[in-house]
Amino acid sequence: MFCYSEGLLGAFTTVLLAALVLSRSAVFSCLLTGGLYLALRLLSLEPVALQRAQQVVQPRGNPARIAHRGGSHDAPENTLAAIRQAADNGATGVEIDLEFTADGIPILMHDETVDRTTDGSGSLRDLTFTEIRQFNPCAKHRLWRDYRGEKVPTLKEAVLESMHNNLIIYFDVKGHADQAVAALRLLYLEYPRLYNTSVVCSFLPDVVYKMRKADRNIITALTHRPWSFSHLGDGTPRYKSAWRHYLAEVVDVVMDWAMHNFLWHLCGTSVFLMQKNFISQDYVKKWSSKGVQVVGWTVNSFAEKMYYENVLQATYITDSMLEDCDPHY
């Protein structure tokens, strides 16, 4: 599903027609469309230079292989061990998830709770850093016996480990826009090398917009999966109630249209992270014509990886650098 118009002209033509149908007033429709266009022009942020973004997304001009959560199939996700293992396995970079403890410490964690990945239990908003540090982040992993003494790392620890191993970093911000922007901006100022070796990405446009507004030199990406409001990652409907499900599908259509037609422009993004099932050669070309690099996720089979490297010539994010595996949601 793509509500994809050719450029901003197509997007605003769609808005104009929709307004005409709903309001049946040519004056109102023109004023609304013109106002929205003017607002977009005034509020939109310029992306970083195309060449800079290309050097980070495709170092030395070749598709990069990014280890998802550090390579969550090959090692316990979002740990320093995973980052080291990804480097040993030949990854170009790592994607890591940024969350916050109850006392505001930025850590690596994908979920809002610690239950799925650690031997602890509870919500991040109720647990301090000291409490979370007592949990074993390898406890639920299939290779837990191979990883002893790991702790839930801080964001800074993960950055230092990644830089030590010369890895590109994709910071996946899960929420808490203001906290995340403040924490990341401090890191970029402390380690300027990050400006040319990392990307800040999020499903949430407000995170990306605030990040770009806070520091125009940071490379950013919007992350998108069609039907994410109505379905879980494995395709299961998110809601049992029929009306909630169909309402969520309407939101999905609107969000998909917005992502492809104006949010990327508003946020000044240089990269678009798209779920692999929706990427084609034509899709990559359309974004490339706008100066935006496409990165696919999560690409987990050898055949898919060869397709990305040799046909699409696009960077991809994978759960395993070593073998085929099911996606880790």
Side-chain angles (χ1 to χ4, degrees), residues 8 25 27 36 52 73 86 90-91 139-140 226 237 265 304 310 318:
L8 292 177
S25 169
V27 174
L36 289 174
R52 261 195 66 213
H73 181 76
K140 306 289 181 66
H265 189 276
E304 288 174 332
N310 300 317
T318 180

PDB file of all heavy atoms in Angstrom, residues 8 25 27 36 52 73 86 90-91 139-140 226 237 265 304 310 318:
ATOM      1  N   LEU A   8       5.361  17.155  -4.348  1.00  0.00           N
ATOM      2  CA  LEU A   8       4.440  17.957  -3.544  1.00  0.00           C
ATOM      3  C   LEU A   8       3.231  18.413  -4.349  1.00  0.00           C
ATOM      4  O   LEU A   8       2.137  18.566  -3.804  1.00  0.00           O
ATOM      5  CB  LEU A   8       5.180  19.167  -2.971  1.00  0.00           C
ATOM      6  CG  LEU A   8       6.247  18.864  -1.907  1.00  0.00           C
ATOM      7  CD1 LEU A   8       6.933  20.151  -1.484  1.00  0.00           C
ATOM      8  CD2 LEU A   8       5.636  18.157  -0.715  1.00  0.00           C
ATOM      9  N   SER A  25     -16.926  23.580  -1.593  1.00  0.00           N
ATOM     10  CA  SER A  25     -16.660  25.016  -1.660  1.00  0.00           C
ATOM     11  C   SER A  25     -15.293  25.233  -2.275  1.00  0.00           C
ATOM     12  O   SER A  25     -14.259  24.854  -1.693  1.00  0.00           O
ATOM     13  CB  SER A  25     -16.704  25.647  -0.266  1.00  0.00           C
ATOM     14  OG  SER A  25     -16.208  26.969  -0.306  1.00  0.00           O
ATOM     15  N   VAL A  27     -13.744  28.083  -2.805  1.00  0.00           N
ATOM     16  CA  VAL A  27     -12.986  29.092  -2.061  1.00  0.00           C
ATOM     17  C   VAL A  27     -12.326  28.479  -0.840  1.00  0.00           C
ATOM     18  O   VAL A  27     -11.120  28.656  -0.596  1.00  0.00           O
ATOM     19  CB  VAL A  27     -13.898  30.263  -1.637  1.00  0.00           C
ATOM     20  CG1 VAL A  27     -13.131  31.242  -0.746  1.00  0.00           C
ATOM     21  CG2 VAL A  27     -14.441  30.992  -2.860  1.00  0.00           C
ATOM     22  N   LEU A  36      -2.017  25.245   3.731  1.00  0.00           N
ATOM     23  CA  LEU A  36      -1.196  24.093   4.073  1.00  0.00           C
ATOM     24  C   LEU A  36       0.136  24.115   3.317  1.00  0.00           C
ATOM     25  O   LEU A  36       1.186  23.780   3.866  1.00  0.00           O
ATOM     26  CB  LEU A  36      -1.957  22.798   3.756  1.00  0.00           C
ATOM     27  CG  LEU A  36      -3.144  22.475   4.667  1.00  0.00           C
ATOM     28  CD1 LEU A  36      -3.896  21.251   4.154  1.00  0.00           C
ATOM     29  CD2 LEU A  36      -2.681  22.239   6.105  1.00  0.00           C
ATOM     30  N   ARG A  52      26.795  13.707   1.973  1.00  0.00           N
ATOM     31  CA  ARG A  52      27.063  13.277   3.354  1.00  0.00           C
ATOM     32  C   ARG A  52      26.194  12.095   3.734  1.00  0.00           C
ATOM     33  O   ARG A  52      26.649  11.116   4.324  1.00  0.00           O
ATOM     34  CB  ARG A  52      26.794  14.429   4.321  1.00  0.00           C
ATOM     35  CG  ARG A  52      28.040  15.179   4.769  1.00  0.00           C
ATOM     36  CD  ARG A  52      27.734  16.029   5.976  1.00  0.00           C
ATOM     37  NE  ARG A  52      27.414  15.217   7.125  1.00  0.00           N
ATOM     38  CZ  ARG A  52      26.552  15.575   8.061  1.00  0.00           C
ATOM     39  NH1 ARG A  52      25.897  16.714   7.980  1.00  0.00           N
ATOM     40  NH2 ARG A  52      26.329  14.780   9.097  1.00  0.00           N
ATOM     41  N   HIS A  73      19.559 -12.158  16.426  1.00  0.00           N
ATOM     42  CA  HIS A  73      19.573 -13.617  16.286  1.00  0.00           C
ATOM     43  C   HIS A  73      20.926 -14.183  16.694  1.00  0.00           C
ATOM     44  O   HIS A  73      21.005 -15.274  17.262  1.00  0.00           O
ATOM     45  CB  HIS A  73      19.271 -14.001  14.835  1.00  0.00           C
ATOM     46  CG  HIS A  73      19.245 -15.481  14.586  1.00  0.00           C
ATOM     47  ND1 HIS A  73      18.188 -16.284  14.975  1.00  0.00           N
ATOM     48  CD2 HIS A  73      20.149 -16.317  14.001  1.00  0.00           C
ATOM     49  CE1 HIS A  73      18.435 -17.535  14.631  1.00  0.00           C
ATOM     50  NE2 HIS A  73      19.618 -17.589  14.047  1.00  0.00           N
ATOM     51  N   ALA A  86      28.479  -8.340  16.195  1.00  0.00           N
ATOM     52  CA  ALA A  86      28.138  -7.829  14.868  1.00  0.00           C
ATOM     53  C   ALA A  86      29.396  -7.417  14.107  1.00  0.00           C
ATOM     54  O   ALA A  86      29.541  -7.703  12.915  1.00  0.00           O
ATOM     55  CB  ALA A  86      27.180  -6.655  14.999  1.00  0.00           C
ATOM     56  N   GLY A  90      31.119  -9.177  10.552  1.00  0.00           N
ATOM     57  CA  GLY A  90      31.237  -8.444   9.303  1.00  0.00           C
ATOM     58  C   GLY A  90      30.187  -7.389   9.041  1.00  0.00           C
ATOM     59  O   GLY A  90      30.036  -6.929   7.899  1.00  0.00           O
ATOM     60  N   ALA A  91      29.454  -6.966  10.071  1.00  0.00           N
ATOM     61  CA  ALA A  91      28.447  -5.926   9.878  1.00  0.00           C
ATOM     62  C   ALA A  91      29.116  -4.586   9.577  1.00  0.00           C
ATOM     63  O   ALA A  91      30.214  -4.296  10.063  1.00  0.00           O
ATOM     64  CB  ALA A  91      27.580  -5.798  11.123  1.00  0.00           C
ATOM     65  N   ALA A 139      19.218 -13.298  29.396  1.00  0.00           N
ATOM     66  CA  ALA A 139      18.514 -14.422  30.023  1.00  0.00           C
ATOM     67  C   ALA A 139      17.566 -15.152  29.088  1.00  0.00           C
ATOM     68  O   ALA A 139      17.419 -16.384  29.181  1.00  0.00           O
ATOM     69  CB  ALA A 139      17.759 -13.929  31.259  1.00  0.00           C
ATOM     70  N   LYS A 140      16.902 -14.455  28.165  1.00  0.00           N
ATOM     71  CA  LYS A 140      15.881 -15.076  27.315  1.00  0.00           C
ATOM     72  C   LYS A 140      16.408 -15.428  25.918  1.00  0.00           C
ATOM     73  O   LYS A 140      15.649 -15.920  25.087  1.00  0.00           O
ATOM     74  CB  LYS A 140      14.680 -14.136  27.182  1.00  0.00           C
ATOM     75  CG  LYS A 140      14.086 -13.666  28.503  1.00  0.00           C
ATOM     76  CD  LYS A 140      13.360 -14.765  29.220  1.00  0.00           C
ATOM     77  CE  LYS A 140      12.753 -14.265  30.540  1.00  0.00           C
ATOM     78  NZ  LYS A 140      11.676 -13.281  30.375  1.00  0.00           N
ATOM     79  N   PRO A 226       3.744  -0.064   6.489  1.00  0.00           N
ATOM     80  CA  PRO A 226       2.315   0.074   6.186  1.00  0.00           C
ATOM     81  C   PRO A 226       1.471  -0.849   7.047  1.00  0.00           C
ATOM     82  O   PRO A 226       1.896  -1.948   7.406  1.00  0.00           O
ATOM     83  CB  PRO A 226       2.248  -0.324   4.701  1.00  0.00           C
ATOM     84  CG  PRO A 226       3.598   0.039   4.165  1.00  0.00           C
ATOM     85  CD  PRO A 226       4.549  -0.294   5.275  1.00  0.00           C
ATOM     86  N   PRO A 237      -4.056  -9.019  13.323  1.00  0.00           N
ATOM     87  CA  PRO A 237      -4.794  -7.779  13.622  1.00  0.00           C
ATOM     88  C   PRO A 237      -4.513  -7.306  15.046  1.00  0.00           C
ATOM     89  O   PRO A 237      -4.486  -8.102  15.981  1.00  0.00           O
ATOM     90  CB  PRO A 237      -6.256  -8.195  13.450  1.00  0.00           C
ATOM     91  CG  PRO A 237      -6.198  -9.312  12.457  1.00  0.00           C
ATOM     92  CD  PRO A 237      -4.935 -10.076  12.786  1.00  0.00           C
ATOM     93  N   HIS A 265       9.420  15.493   3.719  1.00  0.00           N
ATOM     94  CA  HIS A 265       9.867  16.830   3.330  1.00  0.00           C
ATOM     95  C   HIS A 265       9.855  17.776   4.531  1.00  0.00           C
ATOM     96  O   HIS A 265      10.801  18.541   4.751  1.00  0.00           O
ATOM     97  CB  HIS A 265       8.953  17.359   2.221  1.00  0.00           C
ATOM     98  CG  HIS A 265       9.424  18.633   1.596  1.00  0.00           C
ATOM     99  ND1 HIS A 265       9.165  19.870   2.140  1.00  0.00           N
ATOM    100  CD2 HIS A 265      10.147  18.867   0.477  1.00  0.00           C
ATOM    101  CE1 HIS A 265       9.701  20.804   1.378  1.00  0.00           C
ATOM    102  NE2 HIS A 265      10.305  20.226   0.356  1.00  0.00           N
ATOM    103  N   GLU A 304      17.345 -12.795  -0.081  1.00  0.00           N
ATOM    104  CA  GLU A 304      16.934 -11.401   0.048  1.00  0.00           C
ATOM    105  C   GLU A 304      18.144 -10.468   0.105  1.00  0.00           C
ATOM    106  O   GLU A 304      18.161  -9.401  -0.510  1.00  0.00           O
ATOM    107  CB  GLU A 304      16.099 -11.211   1.317  1.00  0.00           C
ATOM    108  CG  GLU A 304      14.708 -11.815   1.247  1.00  0.00           C
ATOM    109  CD  GLU A 304      13.982 -11.720   2.582  1.00  0.00           C
ATOM    110  OE1 GLU A 304      14.652 -11.700   3.636  1.00  0.00           O
ATOM    111  OE2 GLU A 304      12.741 -11.657   2.559  1.00  0.00           O
ATOM    112  N   ASN A 310      22.755  -6.747  -4.907  1.00  0.00           N
ATOM    113  CA  ASN A 310      23.089  -6.809  -6.327  1.00  0.00           C
ATOM    114  C   ASN A 310      22.044  -6.211  -7.260  1.00  0.00           C
ATOM    115  O   ASN A 310      22.379  -5.751  -8.357  1.00  0.00           O
ATOM    116  CB  ASN A 310      23.341  -8.267  -6.734  1.00  0.00           C
ATOM    117  CG  ASN A 310      24.489  -8.887  -5.959  1.00  0.00           C
ATOM    118  OD1 ASN A 310      25.524  -8.258  -5.758  1.00  0.00           O
ATOM    119  ND2 ASN A 310      24.308 -10.120  -5.503  1.00  0.00           N
ATOM    120  N   THR A 318      19.374  -6.362   9.189  1.00  0.00           N
ATOM    121  CA  THR A 318      19.136  -7.796   9.334  1.00  0.00           C
ATOM    122  C   THR A 318      19.279  -8.259  10.776  1.00  0.00           C
ATOM    123  O   THR A 318      20.037  -7.666  11.558  1.00  0.00           O
ATOM    124  CB  THR A 318      20.107  -8.596   8.437  1.00  0.00           C
ATOM    125  OG1 THR A 318      19.873 -10.007   8.582  1.00  0.00           O
ATOM    126  CG2 THR A 318      21.565  -8.305   8.796  1.00  0.00           C
TER     127      THR A 318
END
